[in-house]
Structures are given as structure tokens and as C-alpha cells.
Amino acid sequence: MISLFQILMLILDIAKFIIFVHIIMSWLINFEVLNLRQPLVGQIWDGLSRLLEPIYSQVRRILPSMGGLDLAPLIVLVAIYALQIVLRNNMAAFY
């Protein structure tokens, strides 16, 4: 059962990494460091957006409209951190 715990923690770590990459890429695109017309950048951006948009859309439905500020990635990251804390505190259940 400990391997199940480790697999869950690995999946959550990968999800955090993907969200951080998406956030940093969005900043670089907005500050015109990266150009979406480049094929590789466009494909990575499209793939990340397709992967994360279903999660973000669920959170955006709950959040009030903040104008141009999107807090969905922050809320998802906080939820992932909270889930990891709960899993670590209840790790004895996996033995």
C-alpha cells in the first residue's frame, strides 16, 4: 500500500510541475519573450491549455469574476498542496 501512496504523491508532484510550466509560459508569452507563431511553442502551449483548461474551468465557475486576473491556477495549486498534506498526515492508513 505504501507504493500507492508514493504513486499518488508522484502524480500530484507532476501536476504541480505542469501548472508551474503553464504559468511561466503564460507570463513569457504575455511579455513577448515567447512567440506563439513558433511551431514548438504553439504546440506546447496548446497541449498545456488542453490539459489544464478542464480543471481551470471548474474552478472559474466557482470564483467570482476578477476582471483580467485569473486565480484558477492559484486555487488549483493550493488544492494540490492541501491534498498532499492530507495524504501525508493520513499516511498510516496506507500501511
Side-chain angles (χ1 to χ4, degrees):
M1 287 298 277
I2 193 74
S3 61
L4 180 63
F5 171 75
Q6 291 172 343
I7 291 170
L8 286 173
M9 296 302 283
L10 176 67
I11 291 170
L12 291 174
D13 285 337
I14 291 170
K16 283 191 305 190
F17 177 75
I18 291 171
I19 292 170
F20 280 128
V21 168
H22 190 253
I23 291 169
I24 292 170
M25 267 191 83
S26 71
W27 290 344
L28 292 175
I29 290 169
N30 285 331
F31 291 126
E32 297 179 3
V33 176
L34 292 177
N35 188 354
L36 285 177
R37 292 186 196 114
Q38 295 173 339
L40 180 63
V41 174
Q43 288 175 352
I44 292 172
W45 179 252
D46 187 47
L48 289 174
S49 295
R50 286 180 187 219
L51 185 66
L52 294 173
E53 193 57 37
I55 299 167
Y56 291 164
S57 65
Q58 298 293 322
V59 175
R60 286 183 189 125
R61 269 197 266 153
I62 298 169
L63 291 175
S65 179
M66 301 287 288
L69 186 62
D70 186 16
L71 295 178
L74 177 67
I75 300 299
V76 172
L77 279 175
V78 169
I80 289 173
Y81 279 116
L83 185 57
Q84 283 183 327
I85 291 170
V86 169
L87 286 173
R88 281 191 197 108
N89 289 339
N90 294 312
M91 189 171 59
F94 289 97
Y95 288 113

